[in-house]
Amino acid sequence: MFKLYEARKRFSLFRKAVYLAEIFHLVSLWSVIQTILTSNYYSINLDQVFFEGVSEYVNFSILVTSLLLFSLIFLIVSMTRSQNRFFYVGAYISLTLFYEVIGPVLDGGNNLSLIVIFFLCFTNENKRGPFEDHLVKLVSWVVIFQVSIMYFTAGCYKILSPLWRNGTALFYVLTSVEYSTPLVAKICWILGPIPFVLPSYLILGFQLFFPAAIFNKKLKYLFLGVGTIFHVSIGIFVGLPTFAMNVFATYFVFLLTIEDDVLKCFKDWTCQIIKNKFSLLKNRI
Amino acid sequence: MIKNLLNILFLIHVFFTINYLLPENPLSSEFSKLTNTYMRPIFHQNWELFGRNLVKNTPSIAYKCSLEDDWFLLGHNILNKHQDTRLLGLGKLYYLVNYNIRETHKHYISLNQFEKNPSEIRKKILNQSNMKKILSHISKICKKETITLGMALIRQKNISEIEEPEPHELVIIEKFENVQIIRSP
C-alpha cells in the first residue's frame, strides 16, 4: 500500500500532519487563554506571571489573541492550499512569538514541533529539481534524528533515576495528583504496583532502542506501532493530549522509506568522496 | 558542491545536538560554550523532564472560610475541571495557579533553615508578596476579611502503605487561624 505513494507525497503528508497537530494544540490553548483573560477568578495571579515587562507597553490580551490568530491562519493556509514558502516561514515566526509570550502554559510537545516547523521552512516538496529533492531528503533526516535523539535522551535520564530503575515509576505517575484522574488513581491503587512493572521497563526499552530500530524495515513498523499505543495512552491517562498529538505527527516522516531513499544519498556522497580521493592518489602515483 | 556543504552542516547539527542533550560527559563539557551558542535560541530543547524523579509531595494551600468548615484546597475546582475534561488543557492553568503556592513553599523551606523562632517564621511568611496574593485570592472566594488557612502538602503514599484505600492524603504543616486581611487602597 505504501509503495503507491511517492516520497514527495509522503513528505507532504508529514508536513500536513505536523501543521494539523499544531492547529489542534493552538485550539486547545485558545480555551485556556480565554479563561485566563476573561474570568476574574483566575486573573488574580496569572497576569503577574505573564506580564513581566510586557504590560507597560502592550495590551496583553490583544497581543496574545492576535498572535494566536496569525499563527492559526498561517498554519491553515500552509496546510491546505499553499505552495509558497512565505506561509511556512510566517507560521514559524508567528508561532515562536506566540510561545515566547505565553511561556509557562506550554508542555514539551510544542518544543519538538517548533524545531520541526523551523526545518520545514527550508523545503518545498511541490517544487521539482535535484536540489529540492536533496533538501527534502536532508530535512526528513534531520527530523528523524531529532525524534530519535529525543527518545534516546529521555531513556537515558529515565535509567539514571531510581524510580524508573526499580520499575515503580509508571505506578507513581498514574497515581499522582497532577497527571492522573481520581478514577484511574484508585484503580491503580487497587491493582497495586505489580502490573505496572513490565510496562515501565517496556517504555525504557522502547525509548533506548528506538534510534537503532528505525533502520530495520520490519522493526521500524513494530516500534512505530508501540509508540502510537504509548502516545495514545499518554494522551488519555496522563492528560497530555496535545503533547501526544505533536509527537505522533512526526511519526509520518518515518513512512518515507529511509532505507532506500535517504540513506542512498549519503552513500552516494561518501562514495564520491572516496572515489575522488582514490583518483587523486592514482594520479600522484 | 552546495549539496556537500549542506550535508556537512547536517553532521555539525547532529554533533551539537548530541552534545547539548545527552547527560553530562567529558565531551559535552569540553564544547559547552560552543554548543550553547549554537543551540540556544532556535534549537533549545530539554528532554530531561521525561526522566526526572517524581515529586511525591505536591505543595498546596488549604483554607477555611469559617472555623467549622472543612478544609478546601486552593485551585481545587480547576483541578477537578481538568480531571473531567482532559482535552481543554486546564492542567496547565492549574500549574499556573499553583505558581504562588510553590513560591511560598520555597520561601517557607528556606526560612526554616535559617530561622529558629516559629512566630518570626509565621510573621515573615504572611508578609511575603506571593502569600499576600494568595490571601487576597482566598478572601475574594470567601467574601470575608478574616480567614483561616494552612500550608499543606498533598502526599502521595508509598507502595508499602497499600492497605489503605486512598492514594493521597492531606498533610497540613503550618496553620494560620483568623488572619486579618488588610486591603491595599
Side-chain angles (χ1 to χ4, degrees):
Chain A
M1 185 195 157
F2 291 116
K3 283 180 181 174
L4 291 175
Y5 290 95
E6 291 173 46
R8 228 185 248 109
K9 280 186 179 174
R10 287 186 206 174
F11 192 85
S12 75
L13 190 72
F14 158 65
R15 182 192 290 279
K16 279 172 186 169
V18 169
Y19 288 152
L20 188 68
E22 207 48 44
I23 289 167
F24 178 76
H25 186 206
L26 288 182
V27 170
S28 88
L29 278 179
W30 174 266
S31 67
V32 174
I33 286 163
Q34 284 311 307
T35 42
I36 292 168
L37 294 178
T38 53
S39 138
N40 283 320
Y41 176 81
Y42 299 132
S43 66
I44 290 162
N45 56 15
L46 292 179
D47 57 338
Q48 185 256 336
V49 177
F50 284 143
F51 271 126
E52 284 168 38
V54 184
S55 63
E56 298 162 19
Y57 311 109
V58 197
N59 186 345
F60 179 72
S61 60
I62 291 171
L63 179 76
V64 165
T65 42
S66 60
L67 277 176
L68 203 156
L69 276 178
F70 264 114
S71 40
L72 258 181
I73 288 165
F74 275 122
L75 281 173
I76 288 168
V77 170
S78 51
M79 202 192 91
T80 51
R81 54 176 59 216
S82 146
Q83 307 203 342
N84 196 341
R85 214 167 284 177
F86 167 74
F87 291 103
Y88 307 152
V89 176
Y92 173 72
I93 291 170
S94 53
L95 267 177
T96 34
L97 289 175
F98 178 60
Y99 287 153
E100 200 63 33
V101 174
I102 55 151
V105 201
L106 300 169
D107 51 24
N110 76 291
N111 196 338
L112 178 69
S113 65
L114 249 192
I115 292 167
V116 171
I117 285 170
F118 172 75
F119 283 116
L120 283 177
C121 293
F122 295 104
T123 58
N124 194 350
E125 67 276 8
N126 300 309
K127 282 184 182 172
R128 302 204 170 203
F131 186 64
E132 288 288 335
D133 285 355
H134 188 75
L135 269 179
V136 167
K137 283 172 184 173
L138 252 187
V139 166
S140 51
W141 257 108
V142 169
V143 176
I144 287 163
F145 165 73
Q146 180 59 54
V147 176
S148 42
I149 196 75
M150 180 191 79
Y151 278 132
F152 186 73
T153 41
C156 276
Y157 280 110
K158 279 194 172 87
I159 268 214
L160 288 175
S161 87
L163 277 180
W164 279 98
R165 250 182 284 150
N166 65 21
T168 54
L170 192 61
F171 175 79
Y172 281 125
V173 168
L174 287 174
T175 53
S176 70
V177 184
E178 282 165 47
Y179 296 112
S180 180
T181 51
L183 186 69
V184 173
K186 271 198 176 164
I187 290 169
C188 290
W189 204 252
I190 291 162
L191 286 173
I194 295 159
F196 301 101
V197 172
L198 282 181
S200 63
Y201 284 124
L202 195 90
I203 290 169
L204 262 182
F206 165 74
Q207 293 199 326
L208 284 172
F209 292 119
F210 189 86
I214 50 171
F215 289 99
N216 186 301
K217 268 184 187 176
K218 287 173 185 170
L219 266 182
K220 183 173 84 175
Y221 292 109
L222 176 74
F223 266 67
L224 290 184
V226 172
T228 312
I229 296 165
F230 176 52
H231 284 293
V232 167
S233 50
I234 281 177
I236 295 169
F237 296 116
V238 188
L240 297 166
T242 52
F243 163 74
M245 279 282 283
N246 279 331
V247 180
F248 176 68
T250 55
Y251 276 20
F252 283 88
V253 84
F254 294 100
L255 294 183
L256 287 151
T257 46
I258 51 170
E259 307 87 18
D260 303 338
D261 298 342
V262 190
L263 206 62
K264 207 180 162 190
C265 91
F266 271 89
K267 266 184 190 169
D268 291 347
W269 181 56
T270 45
C271 282
Q272 269 182 13
I273 287 175
I274 291 165
K275 269 183 191 171
N276 289 338
K277 284 203 168 172
F278 266 107
S279 62
L280 275 175
L281 277 174
K282 272 181 187 173
N283 288 340
R284 275 181 194 172
I285 290 162
Chain B
M1 183 62 204
I2 301 170
K3 279 185 188 177
N4 286 355
L5 237 162
L6 285 173
N7 287 347
I8 290 166
L9 268 180
F10 169 65
L11 291 179
I12 290 169
H13 175 74
V14 167
F15 174 75
F16 279 128
T17 320
I18 288 173
N19 258 354
Y20 191 67
L21 289 180
L22 288 185
E24 269 197 43
N25 53 54
L27 183 71
S28 67
S29 58
E30 184 73 32
F31 293 102
S32 63
K33 264 195 174 178
L34 250 177
T35 40
N36 280 340
T37 47
Y38 175 76
M39 297 291 286
R40 265 296 149 77
I42 298 174
F43 306 118
H44 169 70
Q45 47 197 304
N46 176 25
W47 309 121
E48 194 186 335
L49 68 154
F50 297 133
R52 66 179 170 210
N53 271 330
L54 298 163
V55 181
K56 285 191 188 171
N57 294 324
T58 314
S60 80
I61 296 275
Y63 67 89
K64 287 175 177 182
C65 292
S66 61
L67 279 173
E68 302 87 51
D69 285 354
D70 283 337
W71 288 108
F72 275 109
L73 286 179
L74 193 64
H76 63 102
N77 45 0
I78 304 172
L79 186 62
N80 291 344
K81 215 176 169 187
H82 164 60
Q83 285 169 345
D84 292 340
T85 53
R86 281 319 173 97
L87 289 179
L88 293 181
L90 285 165
K92 295 165 188 172
L93 197 60
Y94 178 66
Y95 181 83
L96 276 182
V97 170
N98 266 3
Y99 173 80
N100 284 330
I101 298 174
R102 271 178 275 127
E103 288 298 309
T104 43
H105 265 266
K106 271 183 206 167
H107 190 64
Y108 178 73
I109 290 163
S110 64
L111 271 179
N112 269 321
Q113 285 174 348
F114 300 112
E115 193 83 43
K116 292 275 166 70
N117 189 2
S119 62
E120 272 294 310
I121 292 175
R122 293 165 69 90
K123 251 188 193 176
K124 279 186 178 173
I125 279 181
L126 284 178
N127 282 326
Q128 206 227 353
S129 59
N130 299 91
M131 189 55 156
K132 276 181 182 171
K133 277 169 194 163
I134 290 169
L135 289 177
S136 71
H137 193 162
I138 294 170
S139 79
K140 273 187 186 176
I141 297 167
C142 290
K143 293 166 188 166
K144 272 187 173 179
E145 299 292 296
T146 53
I147 46 168
T148 301
L149 76 156
M151 311 265 294
L153 289 177
I154 306 172
R155 199 176 71 88
Q156 199 172 357
K157 286 176 188 169
N158 282 322
I159 300 170
S160 53
E161 302 164 81
I162 211 152
E163 292 83 31
E164 298 164 47
E166 272 290 316
H168 310 113
E169 64 179 353
L170 189 72
V171 186
I172 288 168
I173 332 168
E174 191 88 46
K175 226 183 197 181
F176 301 94
E177 283 184 352
N178 295 326
V179 181
Q180 279 279 344
I181 288 141
I182 305 144
R183 289 263 166 81
S184 55

